[in-house]
Amino acid sequence: MKKQRKNAWDANLYDQEHDFVAQYGTDVVELLAPKKGEIILDLGCGTGYLTEAIAETGAEVLGIDSAQSMITEAEKNYPKLNFKVIDGEKLPFNEQFDAVFSNAALHWMKNAEAVVTGIWRSLKPQGRFVAEFGGKGNIETIVKAIDLALEKTEYTDNITLNPWYFPSIGEYTGLLEKQGFEVRLAMLFDRPTSLKDTETGLQNWLRMFANPFFKDIPEEKILDILSAIEQETRPQLYRDNTWLADYRRLRIIALKKP
Ligand code: BEZ
């Protein structure tokens, strides 16, 4: 996943152009180590690639995402699996799952406290929460360049539309512990990520993921802003004909120890 996708997502484009999200996620499925017969929630499942990877282990899995377009695509991709449109900030479950899994989704859910509470409620006693998402410093070069480009226009206020939550280890483990979780792993690490399509890779990425910043801006002005962002970030992020986004991941394993 991926945003707590309150903006409209093009699920096809997402699958075609940004499949690295799911590819990297297979490591997180390994960390989850699903077992046959377990009941697992895939929070922010996007188009379902990792939901399927979890199901292949023999676990029973429910994939949820706030974007109808993603769930429609997931159902098309994996018709035998269960998917539902559900907002991660309003999880309706009660002690149903052996594990809650989430890859590249939680950074779209700004009300992290509500998410953590919902995950806690969703888990059976002794259940585990295994997640990876953007942590403090994630895409810092890109975010600074977006802010700078917007500051130079009459759309400076759009900076406040930043849709992302990238917490530090301290901040996030604090939230988990406050909720009652026992944190077993918290790790922040760089994962420079190559964006496809060489020259247009960053612009495509911005169009897909950063569109909330461009709300109500006319198309011709968006083009100027995208060019300004490219120009600003190129010295740090463009190498050997490829854009390399400065991703930084936060990995978490936490247990519900009643
Ligand atoms: C991420 O996976 O870190 C990410 C993806 C899109 C926008 C922001 C962050």
Side-chain angles (χ1 to χ4, degrees):
M1 156 154 179
K2 340 157 192 227
K3 161 175 175 145
Q4 202 44 5
R5 297 182 177 91
K6 278 157 192 154
N7 54 334
W9 285 82
D10 182 334
N12 273 320
L13 188 68
Y14 182 82
D15 261 359
Q16 284 160 30
E17 301 287 332
H18 304 285
D19 55 353
F20 58 81
V21 176
Q23 299 294 341
Y24 282 127
T26 50
D27 290 353
V28 194
V29 174
E30 271 175 37
L31 204 63
L32 172 69
K35 289 174 210 63
K36 190 169 162 47
E38 280 190 323
I39 303 173
I40 294 176
L41 179 68
D42 180 3
L43 169 53
C45 64
T47 54
Y49 180 84
L50 296 176
T51 319
E52 158 74 0
I54 294 168
E56 273 174 9
T57 67
E60 190 183 313
V61 57
L62 171 65
I64 63 165
D65 202 290
S66 65
Q68 177 66 64
S69 59
M70 289 291 179
I71 292 299
T72 302
E73 194 66 15
E75 285 171 337
K76 228 188 283 170
N77 289 343
Y78 309 106
K80 293 194 180 139
L81 300 187
N82 292 316
F83 295 100
K84 264 193 187 161
V85 177
I86 292 179
D87 184 340
E89 292 175 356
K90 296 177 189 152
L91 294 175
F93 309 108
N94 191 18
E95 300 200 347
Q96 275 159 260
F97 298 97
D98 296 293
V100 173
F101 167 88
S102 187
N103 179 60
L106 298 177
H107 49 246
W108 293 102
M109 304 179 205
K110 290 184 102 170
N111 189 351
E113 219 165 326
V115 177
V116 165
T117 299
I119 292 169
W120 175 269
R121 282 207 206 101
S122 303
L123 286 168
K124 296 176 186 172
Q126 315 296 339
R128 65 198 187 280
F129 167 46
V130 177
E132 184 179 299
F133 59 108
K136 191 172 171 65
N138 193 39
I139 55 165
E140 197 164 74
T141 310
I142 297 174
V143 174
K144 277 191 187 149
I146 294 172
D147 289 356
L148 191 68
L150 288 171
E151 266 168 22
K152 290 182 181 156
T153 69
E154 67 263 51
Y155 303 100
T156 305
D157 287 353
N158 280 34
I159 291 172
T160 62
L161 302 177
N162 185 330
W164 302 315
Y165 167 69
F166 300 137
S168 66
I169 287 182
E171 184 181 343
Y172 203 68
T173 57
L175 272 184
L176 291 169
E177 286 178 352
K178 192 167 143 226
Q179 181 62 57
F181 278 104
E182 183 176 295
V183 179
R184 289 294 183 92
L185 175 99
M187 193 177 155
L188 187 67
F189 59 98
D190 289 324
R191 182 190 285 145
T193 298
S194 164
L195 306 178
K196 279 190 178 176
D197 284 336
T198 60
E199 183 56 36
T200 57
L202 181 63
Q203 291 222 10
N204 292 346
W205 186 95
L206 290 164
R207 291 247 183 219
M208 179 83 204
F209 294 115
N211 59 336
F213 282 105
F214 309 132
K215 185 168 181 282
D216 298 332
I217 303 183
E219 178 60 19
E220 68 275 13
K221 295 244 161 101
I222 293 178
L223 290 174
D224 291 344
I225 292 167
L226 294 178
S227 295
I229 297 166
E230 267 190 347
Q231 211 177 329
E232 181 67 23
T233 55
R234 189 177 288 272
Q236 279 140 293
L237 302 183
Y238 193 67
R239 245 164 276 151
D240 302 327
N241 299 321
T242 301
W243 287 97
L244 212 56
D246 50 343
Y247 276 32
R248 182 173 294 162
R249 317 316 284 167
L250 180 58
R251 244 182 212 189
I252 295 289
I253 300 180
L255 306 180
K256 179 172 178 176
K257 290 272 175 147

